[in-house]
Amino acid sequence: MTTVKAAQAGPQMRVAGGKKRTGVLLTGATWIISVLFVFPVVWMIWTSFHSETDAAANPPKVLSAFSVQGYRSFFGSNPWPPILNSLTASVISTILVLCLALPAAYALSIRPVKKWSDVLFFFLSTKFMPVVAALLPVYLFAEKVHFLDNIWLLIILYTSMNLPIAVWMLRSFLAEIPAEMLEAAQVDGAGLIRTLREIIAPVVMPGIASAALICFIFSWNELLFARVLTGTRAETAPVFLTGFVTSQGLFLAQVCAASFVVSLPVLAAGFAAQDKLVQGLSMGAVR
């Protein structure tokens, strides 16, 4: 009897030991990947607190004296109008995307239209074309209607660019809602707007937060359209950052300082919505 138990315990111990080693390897790999992702950001922040000479030194002078000259140069160049333009375009376009994507996702998941898969593929196909291919037609149209250097042009473009992604994300989230909940709402006499506002929206709020954060990040970081279609009035923060890169002189510390300050709104939004973001992305992963 003892021999049988010992024979059974051997494979179990080997399996447990193998799982433990796998867990350690996965944990180590996770830490390595995390460090690789975080290190460039930490290095950028560290470089922003050095003088231009020390920042451009090769090899880098890691322990050189700290300096805030890069931040003085950034704030001295009046960055607030471009930051306000980016904030306006990102927030308004994200709100418009959610207002349009939620009913569309509802129609494609809970109340599916005919050939709904073709509709989803059409939404996805709009992302196949390179952005630069649409740049010239958009520029010519904006010039024709006297819409260049206008923040509302960027709002319309960002809304149309992010809408397909939001529809795809929200559809996967709405597909998780039990049909019984919607049937109970119908029995109570709730209309479409009330159902979306009081029943569906609270349930899929993590998904809405995830889609909103992703759309906000894409809008905030967009450079190509903002660079070509704006001038002085509607200049955004990414376009403003490119002005620190010159062909003469040193600019590394200024660029790092400006990049860190411009990244703060996105970092703050991600930190504030991190719980809902993780919950939302995992909720829509598997149906």
Side-chain angles (χ1 to χ4, degrees), residues 156-179:
I156 295 173
L157 289 175
Y158 294 167
T159 301
S160 60
M161 291 166 59
N162 293 327
L163 186 58
I165 300 174
V167 171
W168 268 83
M169 291 184 63
L170 291 179
R171 183 194 173 275
S172 63
F173 299 140
L174 291 175
E176 302 290 332
I177 297 179

Side-chain angles (χ1 to χ4, degrees), residues 65-240:
F66 274 43
S67 173
V68 293
Q69 185 59 41
Y71 291 92
R72 290 176 180 173
S73 300
F74 173 72
F75 288 109
S77 57
N78 191 21
W80 302 115
I83 292 177
L84 183 60
N85 287 333
S86 287
L87 190 63
T88 302
S90 301
V91 171
I92 295 179
S93 64
T94 300
I95 294 175
L96 291 176
V97 166
L98 294 180
C99 292
L100 296 173
L102 188 59
Y106 176 88
L108 293 171
S109 58
I110 298 176
R111 294 289 184 269
V113 299
K114 293 182 179 180
K115 297 184 179 181
W116 60 270
S117 58
D118 295 338
V119 176
L120 284 176
F121 178 77
F122 171 75
F123 281 138
L124 186 62
S125 65
T126 59
K127 308 299 292 183
F128 291 169
M129 182 176 65
V131 177
V132 69
L135 186 59
L136 181 59
V138 172
Y139 178 86
L140 295 177
F141 174 79
E143 185 182 28
K144 188 71 174 179
V145 298
H146 306 288
F147 220 41
L148 290 175
D149 200 14
N150 192 314
I151 194 63
W152 285 101
L153 176 62
L154 295 182
I155 292 174
I156 295 173
L157 289 175
Y158 294 167
T159 301
S160 60
M161 291 166 59
N162 293 327
L163 186 58
I165 300 174
V167 171
W168 268 83
M169 291 184 63
L170 291 179
R171 183 194 173 275
S172 63
F173 299 140
L174 291 175
E176 302 290 332
I177 297 179
E180 294 78 7
M181 184 181 299
L182 301 176
E183 293 173 356
Q186 289 182 344
V187 171
D188 293 339
L192 176 60
I193 302 300
R194 183 182 176 186
T195 301
L196 289 174
R197 185 180 67 251
E198 299 182 6
I199 298 176
I200 295 179
V203 175
V204 298
M205 186 54 66
I208 294 176
S210 302
L213 182 59
I214 290 176
C215 292
F216 178 82
I217 293 174
F218 286 173
S219 299
W220 184 273
N221 293 335
E222 199 281 324
L223 174 62
L224 183 59
F225 279 115
R227 179 68 175 177
V228 176
L229 301 177
T230 64
T232 56
R233 293 180 301 171
E235 182 185 30
T236 59
V239 177
F240 181 75

Side-chain angles (χ1 to χ4, degrees), residues 252-274:
L252 183 59
Q254 296 182 36
V255 172
C256 290
S259 300
F260 175 58
V261 175
V262 171
S263 302
L264 286 178
V266 176
L267 295 175
F271 181 79
Q274 60 179 337

